[in-house]
Amino acid sequence: MQDICANEVSGFTASLIFQSDGCCVPPSDLAIVDFDETNATVIWESIFAANSYNLLISSSSETELIENLTTTSYDFSNLDSCTVYNVQIQTVCDTERQFFLLR
């Protein structure tokens, strides 16, 4: 039997691009869960390089910065009913801060 593919080499596959963990990046998958008129819980994906997180919450009337969170969730209480809030999370790593992720 003769080998039809003798001495042939195929081309390479399409590229698969990825980044290994350990970078100081803003969290992804930011979500608000378990909310009602005056309470809400925000959750986000853990970042391997994170020492802590900063959370920024704002409405049309006020802004609050909550620093050095060591968990990947935060419970808000005493929110104003029928108010639009903007929540952002920032990763704090050993040597650098990453920009806030807006949701």
Side-chain angles (χ1 to χ4, degrees):
M1 259 184 129
Q2 187 176 18
D3 188 357
I4 297 175
C5 295
N7 298 323
E8 288 185 25
V9 177
S10 74
F12 286 98
T13 63
S15 295
L16 175 63
I17 299 171
F18 70 98
Q19 184 174 14
S20 60
D21 211 350
C23 300
C24 191
V25 296
S28 59
D29 298 328
L30 183 63
I32 302 293
V33 296
D34 300 327
F35 62 93
D36 60 29
E37 291 176 357
T38 59
N39 303 290
T41 299
V42 62
I43 61 173
W44 59 91
E45 177 186 338
S46 176
I47 300 299
F48 181 77
N51 289 338
S52 64
Y53 303 94
N54 295 332
L55 184 148
L56 186 66
I57 183 169
S58 59
S59 67
S60 61
S61 62
E62 62 184 304
T63 298
E64 181 179 3
L65 176 63
I66 302 160
E67 296 181 289
N68 298 315
L69 297 173
T70 56
T71 63
T72 56
S73 67
Y74 188 81
D75 296 320
F76 296 103
S77 59
N78 300 317
L79 298 172
D80 295 329
S81 63
C82 196
T83 300
V84 175
Y85 287 93
N86 179 17
V87 177
Q88 296 174 282
I89 303 294
Q90 181 183 52
T91 305
V92 180
C93 302
D94 280 333
T95 58
E96 60 183 293
R97 287 187 178 191
Q98 187 50 260
F99 294 106
F100 281 97
L101 173 72
L102 170 65
R103 287 284 181 204

